[in-house]
């Protein structure tokens, strides 16, 4: 029998951008565990809209209401972060069967790398099942309404990003 006492759960992700779906998982996890480490994954092979520092700042502001949630940055295997922090639970949000298939395979690999790591899947609330970071970025790029998918802070940050990119593109076209 596993008893959760003084547990720290790790919720890793790129969070590019942070969404209401992410915050829903964080809020629910904050009620289940003593501590939740939101870990901003830094993958130099991935093209991100927001820098790691920007994602950390956004997430720190968004998670302020949850006293037991902290935000960290990590470049490398998440099982190594968990080992270093003393956590043995990885949290993964699941929107649909495709997510489950991908996350299930990942959980097997992580468990193989560190047998003390357990992955817990938290299904998203139905209203967030279509919220996907890549779709949000594309929608925002073309001026679509993303306010139902990301908090106002993120809407504003994305507008600034895309306005700046548009200004740079227009300037380059003039030259």
């Amino acid at each position: 029998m596993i008893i959760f006492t003084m547990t720290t759960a790790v919720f890793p992700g790129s969070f590019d951008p942070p969404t209401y779906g992410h915050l829903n998982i964080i809020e629910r996890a904050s009620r289940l565990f003593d501590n939740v480490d939101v870990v901003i994954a830094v993958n130099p092979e991935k093209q991100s809209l927001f820098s790691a520092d920007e994602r950390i700042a956004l997430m720190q502001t968004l998670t302020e209401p949850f006293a037991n949630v902290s935000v960290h940055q990590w470049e490398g295997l998440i099982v190594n972060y968990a080992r270093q922090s003393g956590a043995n639970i990885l949290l993964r949000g699941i929107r649909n069967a495709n997510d489950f298939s991908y996350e299930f395979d990942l959980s097997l690999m992580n468990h193989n790398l560190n047998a003390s790591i357990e992955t817990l899947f938290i299904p998203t609330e139905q209203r967030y099942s279509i919220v996907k970071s890549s779709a949000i970025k594309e929608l925002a790029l073309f001026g679509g309404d993303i306010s139902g998918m990301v908090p106002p802070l993120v809407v504003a940050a994305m507008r600034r990003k895309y306005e700046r990119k548009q200004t740079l593109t227009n300037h380059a076209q003039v030259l």
Side-chain angles (χ1 to χ4, degrees):
M1 174 163 70
I2 296 176
I3 299 173
F4 296 121
T5 58
M6 291 307 294
T7 55
T8 296
V10 176
F11 183 42
S14 61
F15 305 106
D16 186 46
T19 70
Y20 280 132
H22 295 135
L23 293 175
N24 176 257
I25 299 295
I26 291 166
E27 186 267 328
R28 291 162 61 202
S30 74
R31 294 192 315 253
L32 296 172
F33 300 98
D34 296 309
N35 300 295
V36 177
D37 287 0
V38 174
V39 179
I40 308 289
V42 178
N43 182 346
E45 300 296 315
K46 248 183 154 177
Q47 180 84 7
S48 297
L49 176 63
F50 293 104
S51 71
D53 289 341
E54 290 170 322
R55 289 179 278 153
I56 288 169
L58 287 168
M59 270 308 218
Q60 285 174 330
T61 300
L62 294 169
T63 59
E64 280 178 2
F66 312 109
N68 63 335
V69 174
S70 57
V71 179
H72 307 271
Q73 176 180 327
W74 187 258
E75 185 174 331
L77 296 173
I78 198 63
V79 293
N80 292 340
Y81 174 88
R83 182 180 295 120
Q84 179 179 311
S85 68
N88 63 350
I89 297 169
L90 296 180
L91 299 177
R92 299 304 294 167
I94 302 294
R95 291 173 304 202
N96 54 42
N98 291 338
D99 278 359
F100 178 78
S101 178
Y102 173 78
E103 295 295 346
F104 181 78
D105 290 346
L106 205 57
S107 73
L108 294 175
M109 184 175 14
N110 286 332
H111 191 74
N112 188 49
L113 292 169
N114 182 343
S116 69
I117 297 292
E118 296 296 340
T119 300
L120 298 181
F121 303 115
I122 300 179
T124 190
E125 290 184 15
Q126 184 177 4
R127 62 186 164 165
Y128 303 121
S129 65
I130 62 165
V131 175
K132 187 174 180 180
S133 293
S134 59
I136 292 169
K137 288 187 272 194
E138 187 172 348
L139 189 58
L141 175 65
F142 294 106
D145 181 11
I146 58 170
S147 61
M149 297 177 245
V150 297
L153 174 72
V154 178
V155 171
M158 291 183 77
R159 280 195 184 126
R160 286 190 301 273
K161 281 282 184 186
Y162 287 124
E163 285 172 1
R164 184 170 183 275
K165 282 185 176 191
Q166 187 62 41
T167 300
L168 292 172
T169 300
N170 291 343
H171 183 70
Q173 289 174 350
V174 170
L175 296 176

